[in-house]
Structure formats: structure tokens, C-alpha cells
């Protein structure tokens, strides 16, 4: 893929917000980098863009020793796993982005950026998804009230719980239970 203006700008400014969105390889050195790499700026006509670093390897480029484009990816993937682990454990409790960031040792903005990049969801969206999936199972398995199920899965604001549930399943929790329960 050839370089577009936005990518060129990201490379010129070592812009880390583009990391994991694309990688750039330099014809003259045979090396590929993350956009944030502080190495010397190549000529734009020597740059090839990759949206998957493995494609850069396949094309015969070597990962840069300075910005280590592959290690970064692995590190972020492991980090996302760690975040998912915390979400899966803590979803019943109130969990703000600030609290989550503290638990996984990252800044809020970087956490949100990396997580969304690798999963397509913000951490908050993922959390709501987990809670609704759990609530759906509880609705069918127990006779507990809608309000208490909401509270149990970390959605203690009942109107909000009903609204999110309906947005995902097309029915209120009560309707859903009537239609899917036995
Ligand atoms: Zn580099």
C-alpha cells in the first residue's frame, strides 16, 4: 500500500496513536517500523505501508531493533488479555475507566486506545456486553427480579439496565424472560 498524507504526517511526528493501525517499511534499509519510531525520517517515496506487520515480514522486511514493531504488538495483545481478565472478574462491581487503568497500570487514554484498536470495542462497551450476557443467563436460570439481576451483574440502575438490555436483545428483560423461559 502506498503512503497517504495522514500516514506520512504520523510518521513525521512519531505519532503513537497510529501504532497498531499501520506499519511502514523502508525500501532502502529493508526495515519496518511503528509510526512512533524515533528513527531517522525516511524519504516518503521509499516507504511502503502495511496494515499487518506479518505482511511486512512476508515481504522480506526485518523488524526495527529500535521500535520493535512485533514485540509491541505482542505486548499489547497480552495487555488486552490482562484487561479482559480484570473485566471478567470485576464486572459485578462498579468499575470506572480510571479504576480499570489503575488496575492494569496504564493511562486511561492509552488503555482505551489500545483496547479499542485490538478488540473494536471500548473497555466500557466490553464491560456492558459482559454484564448483559451475564444478565441474560440469570434471567433464564433464576426467578430473581429484574432489578436484583441488574444489581448482581453490575447494572444497579434499573432503568439503565432495561434500556441497555433492550438495545442489545430487542426486548425488555421481562419480555425476554417470558419469551425464552420455560
Ligand atoms: Zn523503528
Amino acid at each position: 500500500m502506498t503512503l497517504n498524507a495522514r500516514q506520512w504526517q504520523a510518521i513525521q511526528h512519531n505519532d503513537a496513536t497510529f501504532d497498531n493501525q499501520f506499519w511502514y517499511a523502508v525500501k532502502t534499509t529493508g526495515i519496518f517500523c511503528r509510526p512512533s519510531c524515533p528513527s531517522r525520517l525516511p524519504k516518503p517515496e521509499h516507504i511502503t505501508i502495511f496494515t499487518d506487520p506479518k505482511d511486512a515480514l512476508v515481504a522480506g522486511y526485518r523488524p526495527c531493533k529500535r521500535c520493535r514493531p512485533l514485540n509491541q504488538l505482542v505486548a499489547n495483545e497480552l495487555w488486552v488479555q490482562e484487561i479482559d481478565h480484570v473485566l471478567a472478574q470485576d464486572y459485578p462491581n462498579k468499575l470506572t475507566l480510571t479504576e480499570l487503568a489503575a488496575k492494569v497500570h496504564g493511562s486511561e487514554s492509552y488503555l482505551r486506545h489500545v483496547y479499542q484498536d485490538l478488540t473494536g470495542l471500548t473497555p466500557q462497551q466490553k464491560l456492558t456486553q459482559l454484564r448483559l450476557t451475564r444478565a441474560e443467563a440469570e434471567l433464564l436460570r433464576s426467578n430473581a427480579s429484574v432489578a436484583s439481576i441488574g444489581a448482581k451483574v453490575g447494572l444497579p440502575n434499573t432503568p439503565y439496565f432495561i434500556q441497555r438490555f433492550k438495545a442489545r436483545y430487542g426486548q425488555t428483560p421481562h419480555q425476554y424472560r417470558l419469551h425464552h423461559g420455560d
Side-chain angles (χ1 to χ4, degrees), residues 24 31-34 37-39 64-69:
Y24 71 96
I31 286 172
F32 71 99
C33 287
R34 301 190 273 136
C37 186
S39 63
C64 169
K65 288 211 163 64
R66 192 154 175 198
C67 67
R68 292 173 300 174

PDB file of all heavy atoms in Angstrom, residues 24 31-34 37-39 64-69, ligand 1:
ATOM      1  N   TYR A  24       5.245   0.888   8.746  1.00  0.00           N
ATOM      2  CA  TYR A  24       5.858   1.329   7.496  1.00  0.00           C
ATOM      3  C   TYR A  24       7.214   0.686   7.294  1.00  0.00           C
ATOM      4  O   TYR A  24       8.004   0.545   8.226  1.00  0.00           O
ATOM      5  CB  TYR A  24       5.934   2.861   7.412  1.00  0.00           C
ATOM      6  CG  TYR A  24       6.926   3.521   8.333  1.00  0.00           C
ATOM      7  CD1 TYR A  24       8.198   3.858   7.882  1.00  0.00           C
ATOM      8  CD2 TYR A  24       6.589   3.827   9.655  1.00  0.00           C
ATOM      9  CE1 TYR A  24       9.113   4.491   8.724  1.00  0.00           C
ATOM     10  CE2 TYR A  24       7.494   4.456  10.487  1.00  0.00           C
ATOM     11  CZ  TYR A  24       8.757   4.784  10.029  1.00  0.00           C
ATOM     12  OH  TYR A  24       9.657   5.396  10.859  1.00  0.00           O
ATOM     13  N   ILE A  31      13.941  -2.362   6.490  1.00  0.00           N
ATOM     14  CA  ILE A  31      13.448  -2.443   7.867  1.00  0.00           C
ATOM     15  C   ILE A  31      12.036  -1.864   7.963  1.00  0.00           C
ATOM     16  O   ILE A  31      11.693  -0.932   7.233  1.00  0.00           O
ATOM     17  CB  ILE A  31      14.421  -1.684   8.801  1.00  0.00           C
ATOM     18  CG1 ILE A  31      15.706  -2.527   8.984  1.00  0.00           C
ATOM     19  CG2 ILE A  31      13.799  -1.384  10.163  1.00  0.00           C
ATOM     20  CD1 ILE A  31      16.811  -1.832   9.714  1.00  0.00           C
ATOM     21  N   PHE A  32      11.209  -2.453   8.850  1.00  0.00           N
ATOM     22  CA  PHE A  32       9.900  -1.840   9.082  1.00  0.00           C
ATOM     23  C   PHE A  32       9.726  -1.409  10.531  1.00  0.00           C
ATOM     24  O   PHE A  32      10.318  -1.982  11.445  1.00  0.00           O
ATOM     25  CB  PHE A  32       8.747  -2.733   8.611  1.00  0.00           C
ATOM     26  CG  PHE A  32       8.491  -3.964   9.435  1.00  0.00           C
ATOM     27  CD1 PHE A  32       7.475  -3.980  10.385  1.00  0.00           C
ATOM     28  CD2 PHE A  32       9.230  -5.121   9.229  1.00  0.00           C
ATOM     29  CE1 PHE A  32       7.207  -5.126  11.138  1.00  0.00           C
ATOM     30  CE2 PHE A  32       8.975  -6.276   9.975  1.00  0.00           C
ATOM     31  CZ  PHE A  32       7.970  -6.279  10.928  1.00  0.00           C
ATOM     32  N   CYS A  33       8.906  -0.366  10.706  1.00  0.00           N
ATOM     33  CA  CYS A  33       8.774   0.335  11.987  1.00  0.00           C
ATOM     34  C   CYS A  33       7.323   0.606  12.342  1.00  0.00           C
ATOM     35  O   CYS A  33       6.440   0.563  11.493  1.00  0.00           O
ATOM     36  CB  CYS A  33       9.470   1.702  11.906  1.00  0.00           C
ATOM     37  SG  CYS A  33      11.258   1.613  11.903  1.00  0.00           S
ATOM     38  N   ARG A  34       7.126   0.954  13.592  1.00  0.00           N
ATOM     39  CA  ARG A  34       5.858   1.534  14.031  1.00  0.00           C
ATOM     40  C   ARG A  34       5.874   3.028  13.679  1.00  0.00           C
ATOM     41  O   ARG A  34       6.955   3.625  13.633  1.00  0.00           O
ATOM     42  CB  ARG A  34       5.724   1.425  15.551  1.00  0.00           C
ATOM     43  CG  ARG A  34       5.767   0.041  16.072  1.00  0.00           C
ATOM     44  CD  ARG A  34       5.391   0.028  17.534  1.00  0.00           C
ATOM     45  NE  ARG A  34       6.514   0.266  18.436  1.00  0.00           N
ATOM     46  CZ  ARG A  34       6.471   1.060  19.484  1.00  0.00           C
ATOM     47  NH1 ARG A  34       5.387   1.749  19.745  1.00  0.00           N
ATOM     48  NH2 ARG A  34       7.508   1.190  20.274  1.00  0.00           N
ATOM     49  N   CYS A  37       8.131   5.317  15.810  1.00  0.00           N
ATOM     50  CA  CYS A  37       9.583   5.091  15.893  1.00  0.00           C
ATOM     51  C   CYS A  37      10.357   6.393  15.755  1.00  0.00           C
ATOM     52  O   CYS A  37      10.128   7.172  14.838  1.00  0.00           O
ATOM     53  CB  CYS A  37      10.044   4.109  14.814  1.00  0.00           C
ATOM     54  SG  CYS A  37      11.791   3.681  15.013  1.00  0.00           S
ATOM     55  N   PRO A  38      11.306   6.647  16.678  1.00  0.00           N
ATOM     56  CA  PRO A  38      12.073   7.884  16.618  1.00  0.00           C
ATOM     57  C   PRO A  38      13.263   7.823  15.648  1.00  0.00           C
ATOM     58  O   PRO A  38      14.079   8.737  15.626  1.00  0.00           O
ATOM     59  CB  PRO A  38      12.563   8.041  18.070  1.00  0.00           C
ATOM     60  CG  PRO A  38      12.657   6.648  18.587  1.00  0.00           C
ATOM     61  CD  PRO A  38      11.603   5.845  17.877  1.00  0.00           C
ATOM     62  N   SER A  39      13.354   6.755  14.852  1.00  0.00           N
ATOM     63  CA  SER A  39      14.489   6.643  13.934  1.00  0.00           C
ATOM     64  C   SER A  39      14.443   7.747  12.874  1.00  0.00           C
ATOM     65  O   SER A  39      13.437   8.417  12.706  1.00  0.00           O
ATOM     66  CB  SER A  39      14.485   5.275  13.267  1.00  0.00           C
ATOM     67  OG  SER A  39      13.319   5.128  12.494  1.00  0.00           O
ATOM     68  N   CYS A  64      12.429  -3.395  13.001  1.00  0.00           N
ATOM     69  CA  CYS A  64      13.376  -2.409  13.528  1.00  0.00           C
ATOM     70  C   CYS A  64      13.790  -2.791  14.951  1.00  0.00           C
ATOM     71  O   CYS A  64      12.952  -3.168  15.771  1.00  0.00           O
ATOM     72  CB  CYS A  64      12.695  -1.044  13.525  1.00  0.00           C
ATOM     73  SG  CYS A  64      13.585   0.227  14.413  1.00  0.00           S
ATOM     74  N   LYS A  65      15.090  -2.673  15.256  1.00  0.00           N
ATOM     75  CA  LYS A  65      15.563  -3.028  16.595  1.00  0.00           C
ATOM     76  C   LYS A  65      15.221  -1.942  17.608  1.00  0.00           C
ATOM     77  O   LYS A  65      15.206  -2.165  18.806  1.00  0.00           O
ATOM     78  CB  LYS A  65      17.078  -3.245  16.569  1.00  0.00           C
ATOM     79  CG  LYS A  65      17.457  -4.529  15.864  1.00  0.00           C
ATOM     80  CD  LYS A  65      18.743  -5.116  16.449  1.00  0.00           C
ATOM     81  CE  LYS A  65      18.919  -6.561  16.058  1.00  0.00           C
ATOM     82  NZ  LYS A  65      19.082  -6.705  14.589  1.00  0.00           N
ATOM     83  N   ARG A  66      14.962  -0.767  17.098  1.00  0.00           N
ATOM     84  CA  ARG A  66      14.707   0.358  17.999  1.00  0.00           C
ATOM     85  C   ARG A  66      13.250   0.376  18.483  1.00  0.00           C
ATOM     86  O   ARG A  66      12.990   0.456  19.678  1.00  0.00           O
ATOM     87  CB  ARG A  66      15.035   1.651  17.270  1.00  0.00           C
ATOM     88  CG  ARG A  66      15.076   2.817  18.191  1.00  0.00           C
ATOM     89  CD  ARG A  66      15.974   3.883  17.616  1.00  0.00           C
ATOM     90  NE  ARG A  66      15.910   5.074  18.455  1.00  0.00           N
ATOM     91  CZ  ARG A  66      16.297   6.273  18.057  1.00  0.00           C
ATOM     92  NH1 ARG A  66      16.758   6.436  16.827  1.00  0.00           N
ATOM     93  NH2 ARG A  66      16.220   7.297  18.870  1.00  0.00           N
ATOM     94  N   CYS A  67      12.289   0.301  17.552  1.00  0.00           N
ATOM     95  CA  CYS A  67      10.882   0.390  17.986  1.00  0.00           C
ATOM     96  C   CYS A  67      10.235  -0.982  18.134  1.00  0.00           C
ATOM     97  O   CYS A  67       9.111  -1.096  18.621  1.00  0.00           O
ATOM     98  CB  CYS A  67      10.070   1.257  17.020  1.00  0.00           C
ATOM     99  SG  CYS A  67       9.857   0.550  15.375  1.00  0.00           S
ATOM    100  N   ARG A  68      10.946  -2.036  17.721  1.00  0.00           N
ATOM    101  CA  ARG A  68      10.479  -3.414  17.861  1.00  0.00           C
ATOM    102  C   ARG A  68       8.977  -3.573  17.569  1.00  0.00           C
ATOM    103  O   ARG A  68       8.170  -3.791  18.474  1.00  0.00           O
ATOM    104  CB  ARG A  68      10.830  -3.946  19.259  1.00  0.00           C
ATOM    105  CG  ARG A  68      12.345  -4.106  19.426  1.00  0.00           C
ATOM    106  CD  ARG A  68      12.721  -4.462  20.823  1.00  0.00           C
ATOM    107  NE  ARG A  68      12.285  -3.429  21.742  1.00  0.00           N
ATOM    108  CZ  ARG A  68      12.363  -3.508  23.057  1.00  0.00           C
ATOM    109  NH1 ARG A  68      12.836  -4.579  23.617  1.00  0.00           N
ATOM    110  NH2 ARG A  68      11.943  -2.512  23.814  1.00  0.00           N
ATOM    111  N   PRO A  69       8.617  -3.417  16.316  1.00  0.00           N
ATOM    112  CA  PRO A  69       7.202  -3.388  15.943  1.00  0.00           C
ATOM    113  C   PRO A  69       6.433  -4.662  16.292  1.00  0.00           C
ATOM    114  O   PRO A  69       5.242  -4.609  16.577  1.00  0.00           O
ATOM    115  CB  PRO A  69       7.229  -3.163  14.428  1.00  0.00           C
ATOM    116  CG  PRO A  69       8.598  -3.574  13.995  1.00  0.00           C
ATOM    117  CD  PRO A  69       9.512  -3.287  15.147  1.00  0.00           C
TER     118      PRO A  69
HETATM  119 ZN1  LIG B   1      11.702   1.595  14.187  1.00  0.00          ZN
END
